[in-house]
Amino acid sequence: MISPTPPPVIRAVIIGCGVIGLHHASVLTRHPAFEVTALVDVSEPALAAAAQAIADQGAPRPQVFTDLAEACASGDADLAVITTPSGMHVDQAEAALAANLHVVIEKPLDVDLGRALRIADAADAAPHLSVSVISQHRFDPASAAARAALDEGRFGSLTSAIASVPWYRSDAYYASGAWRGTWRMDGGGAVMNQGIHTVDLLRWFLGRPLQVSARVARLAHAGIQVEDVAVATVEFESGALAVVHCTTAAYPSQAARLALYGTHGSAVIEGDDLAFLHAAPADLDPGTQPLTGASAENHAAEWLEKAGRAGGPPLGSPALVGHWRQYDDIARSVTRGERPGVTARDAAESLALVRAIYASAATRRTVDFGAVLGGDYEGVRPDLNG
Ligand SMILES: NC(=O)c1ccc[n+]([C@@H]2O[C@H](COP(=O)([O-])OP(=O)(O)OC[C@H]3O[C@@H](n4cnc5c(N)ncnc54)[C@H](O)[C@@H]3O)[C@@H](O)[C@H]2O)c1
């Protein structure tokens, strides 16, 4: 009997060996579909520490480079993983694509929507390469369960949502990297950096936004340029309405919360958990209105059970789950030539929603999402120094 050939391991170069670059290294050295063959960073100490961390996990020591072009030309990688400050993402992704590498880009896709749309076009023009953007919470069992219920029509139609990210970041956090809290490299504050995960989930569940109205403020961090509090209302093309609230000035931080409300069912995701899910019967007649919500059962455990089975990291590493599951999706995309679960186009639309929040706050007007996507508000940002 002929034994099946094992699938080839995907060789990854990690570009940016800071906080999240090390997290990617932890996932990729454990994940059977990948190995880390090279690292790139402008900081020699960061490179040395990351190479050592990989060797400490029993994996082969990767090559190290201070120059991205040299690493891409080395021929030692199939996949570039971009984990540098946000404002560098697209330029580096373009260099990797030009070297014929598959690409994974950390969130946000970039800080500049024009550049983000450029890489989305480049990805469309290179269907033989996989270009994906990290949005690991889409792969959490809680999100997957709610998405499955939505896809089966078990919420009826979604009518409203509340997305809240009440987090705290200290001055020391912002001081830990010169790029943090700057418009040029972070691209924004509580919405662009921290809230974008929940903003992306909101858009994933509710579809394309139509109009956005927002206010932002900088209330608790003197040393940054960007907002630490933001609130917005979003009207979607479906007619659904949502409230967005993101802050890094909410001591001591509580779990991000996304509540989705529909005509026949609802879900609440708190942190990575599915706190509540009520799904209508599979044979739902949308013309029939439920009588009262008073006796609605919580079906979360049952839907989590269905969503929770596939994939997952080795025991003892729960913090790696989201990225691990997204890498399952990336491995499928790279090896089978299929579209990844989160494309650059998808991430560009989430970035556009963040940009729409800033455009509305800066102009103190309601803005059209389509106009933002079309480039009307390029570079417009709130002045928080007044
Ligand atoms: N998905 C998530 O949950 C998550 C979490 C944290 C950060 N992030 C994202 O990851 C990115 C990096 O964040 P971080 O917290 O790891 O930042 P960090 O400052 O800890 O690390 C950035 C690294 O990039 C290196 N670098 C800077 N310029 C470079 C260049 N030109 N070429 C190569 N390397 C360069 C720096 O030396 C540093 O080691 C950001 O876009 C952030 O939004 C995502």
Side-chain angles (χ1 to χ4, degrees):
M1 190 177 127
I2 301 168
S3 57
T5 320
V9 169
I10 300 164
R11 300 166 306 158
V13 50
I14 298 178
I15 301 151
C17 301
V19 174
I20 205 69
L22 290 171
H23 185 84
H24 281 257
S26 292
V27 174
L28 290 170
T29 49
R30 290 176 167 89
H31 197 297
F34 298 91
E35 80 176 278
V36 180
T37 49
L39 301 172
V40 181
D41 205 295
V42 288
S43 155
E44 303 255 8
L47 275 175
Q52 188 59 45
I54 289 170
D56 288 347
Q57 284 173 36
R61 185 178 279 271
Q63 290 200 68
V64 295
F65 297 89
T66 50
D67 182 59
L68 171 60
E70 215 181 293
C72 288
S74 72
D76 279 338
D78 312 299
L79 170 74
V81 176
I82 296 172
T83 52
T84 46
S86 308
M88 300 177 185
H89 289 178
V90 164
D91 288 345
Q92 293 177 330
E94 285 176 334
L97 261 190
N100 218 26
L101 299 183
H102 303 281
V103 183
V104 173
I105 308 168
E106 254 300 349
K107 56 69 21 191
L109 171 51
D110 202 280
V111 304
D112 179 273
L113 184 55
R115 284 202 296 262
L117 292 168
R118 211 170 67 202
I119 195 77
D121 289 343
D124 289 346
H128 60 294
L129 294 174
S130 171
V131 180
S132 57
V133 180
I134 295 292
S135 189
Q136 75 267 25
H137 294 297
R138 287 201 196 185
F139 297 84
D140 289 343
S143 311
R147 179 67 201 210
L150 175 69
D151 289 344
E152 289 180 26
R154 308 285 285 275
F155 296 140
S157 62
L158 287 180
T159 47
S160 68
I162 302 175
S164 175
V165 184
W167 288 0
Y168 179 73
R169 292 289 183 271
S170 64
D171 286 338
Y173 160 80
Y174 284 110
S176 70
W179 67 278
R180 296 192 199 279
T182 64
W183 284 112
R184 201 171 71 80
M185 278 293 149
D186 218 346
V191 190
M192 180 69 90
N193 189 316
Q194 285 76 25
I196 195 159
H197 292 289
T198 311
V199 166
D200 178 65
L201 288 180
L202 178 71
R203 208 188 51 75
W204 190 47
F205 284 112
L206 271 77
R208 184 175 263 217
L210 191 62
Q211 292 203 312
V212 178
S213 184
R215 291 288 184 274
V216 304
R218 178 171 54 77
L219 300 177
H221 299 91
I224 62 174
Q225 298 171 347
V226 297
E227 87 289 354
D228 55 16
V229 180
V231 293
T233 56
V234 184
E235 180 186 350
F236 289 83
E237 282 183 350
S238 67
L241 300 178
V243 173
V244 174
H245 161 244
C246 303
T247 178
T248 53
Y251 184 80
S253 281
Q254 299 220 316
R257 188 171 190 277
L258 178 63
L260 304 164
Y261 300 109
T263 53
H264 293 73
S266 296
V268 179
I269 299 168
E270 263 175 11
D272 301 342
D273 296 329
L274 187 61
F276 181 82
L277 188 148
H278 179 83
D283 57 355
L284 169 71
D285 172 359
T288 313
Q289 202 173 39
L291 289 179
T292 167
S295 60
E297 291 162 19
N298 185 353
H299 305 138
E302 175 191 321
W303 284 79
L304 272 177
E305 169 72 16
K306 274 202 273 180
R309 278 195 210 114
L315 289 175
S317 44
L320 305 180
V321 174
H323 280 83
W324 182 286
R325 286 179 167 229
Q326 186 157 2
Y327 270 115
D328 286 342
D329 175 74
I330 290 161
R332 174 193 58 74
S333 172
V334 168
T335 54
R336 297 197 204 154
E338 294 170 2
R339 276 160 67 91
V342 185
T343 62
R345 178 88 44 208
D346 227 353
E349 296 224 352
S350 292
L351 175 63
L353 180 49
V354 175
R355 288 289 311 139
I357 289 173
Y358 294 147
S360 171
T363 57
R364 299 182 86 80
R365 288 172 187 273
T366 299
V367 301
D368 283 330
F369 180 76
V372 174
L373 255 187
D376 279 9
Y377 293 89
E378 205 154 335
V380 173
R381 59 194 188 206
D383 177 6
L384 299 172
N385 294 318

